[in-house]
Amino acid sequence: MNNKYTTRWVAVAAAVFFVGTLFPYAYSAADSGLKKLRTFINVLEYVKENYVETMDSDTLITGAIRGVVDELDDFSQYLDPKDYKNLKNDTRGDFGGLGIRLSKVDGFVTVMSPMPNTPAFAAGVMPGDRVLRVDGKEISGMELDEAVELMRGPVGSKVHIVMSRKNTKTGTYEELPEYHFKRQKIVPEVVYFRMLKDKIGYIYLVDFSGHSTEEVKKALKQLSKQGMKALVLDLRFNPGGLLNGAADIAKLFMGHHQTVVYTQGRKPEFYQEFKTDATADYPDLPMAVLINQGSASASEIVSGALQDNDRAVIIGQRSFGKASVQQVMPLDGGAGLRLTIAKYYTPKGRLIQRNYRDKSKEKEGGIFPDVEVKVDPQEEAKVFMQYNNVVYTPGKAQPKVEFKEKDPVLDQAVKILKEGPEKIIAKKAELEKAAREQAEQEAGAAQQAKQAQAAQPNGSRKK
């Protein structure tokens, strides 16, 4: 068979298979649907035959897949092999690496800090060292993400890296002997905690990865040993992560058999309730939860659950509103598909998902704080940059984080916890009760009007 027509047939067959897989009822749909399918195949053929540059079938079909998924919502996503691999690493909470925090400085991939108890720290890599070559490959001019990817790999695998270090006397960078590293499982820090004044504990949770619940429990135990009387749980700029992790953390503070969150989708099997199934470790600890526009997904599950169960005061700014449950399925060639199959609802039935595409629904979705404190996002980001500015240096004592940036949201939380959060929770309950009573009255009036209208004789007319 002619190669040109063979290639064309492969492209068409692949396109038909793809559409048929995602839309199993396409072939039994109305004629309009079949016509669209034929149009798609015709466009694919015409582009391959006539576009000014030669295009291969894989590129075109991948573009078609992205187009289909992009039409759904802002969170469904086609993942190329690299993105799919990174997603698995992120949700697992560990990866094979060296333990180096890197940045691009003066055009060079530069070590900001080696992480303690990692191969880089043990080898004596110093802050300010420049990475020159990875396994013999020059990385000058390379993007930071690309350079980081070269250093990652399977746990136990080896990598050879050449670095340079600044000579303090001459001010010039001198090449160091080649490092021979064996990659280890690196567990990123996801929890930072400390004791504030008046025995108020503070926990900043970076995200909900595979180790979050374990690390939060450790932090709570340490703070309890120090006499913690109240807690601030900081979820600002927390993008979310694992649904189970969010439920497990909420369960630490909630009473027995309370609803944490439930999911609902088009299929009955996607309905799922998450309830507390045991006595909480900290059921009576006064709490404040901090959120902002960067708090999303699992962060909103936790804050919504604690808010609806009157367990904590939510302080800060309205959250992002990402409340979609996604299922990730592997595809051929190492790619993946992240598809929205359901949405999150708080215990009281509030849909957290915000519809950013429909401007008429701009005021719907997200978690609204009980106490709003508006802060410029750039100013608020400086608060969290303090954690990233800590530099670990082999041979020197571990430094402490210096908190110099103003944080009005945290200040408000401390004030509320000192005065008693139960006042705000009680006031919120009164407002909710008044709103319910008003809604019931309006519904009753509407029902009476409907009954009165139905009681009028048919065909009655004025004389």
Side-chain angles (χ1 to χ4, degrees), residues 22 176 210 217 336 458:
L22 281 190
L176 300 172
K217 286 182 177 180
N458 293 331

Side-chain angles (χ1 to χ4, degrees), residues 104 107-109 131-133 137-143 147:
K104 203 75 177 288
F108 290 91
V109 176
V131 183
L132 304 179
R133 296 185 293 277
K137 186 172 183 179
E138 295 282 348
I139 66 169
S140 59
M142 188 178 290
E143 292 296 327

Side-chain angles (χ1 to χ4, degrees), residues 291-295 300 316-320 354 361-369 372:
I291 62 172
N292 67 358
Q293 63 275 18
S295 306
E300 296 171 298
Q317 298 179 69
R318 178 188 182 185
S319 64
F320 183 80
R354 290 177 67 178
K361 299 180 179 180
E362 196 170 340
K363 295 183 178 180
E364 298 178 8
I367 298 297
F368 288 82
E372 185 178 36

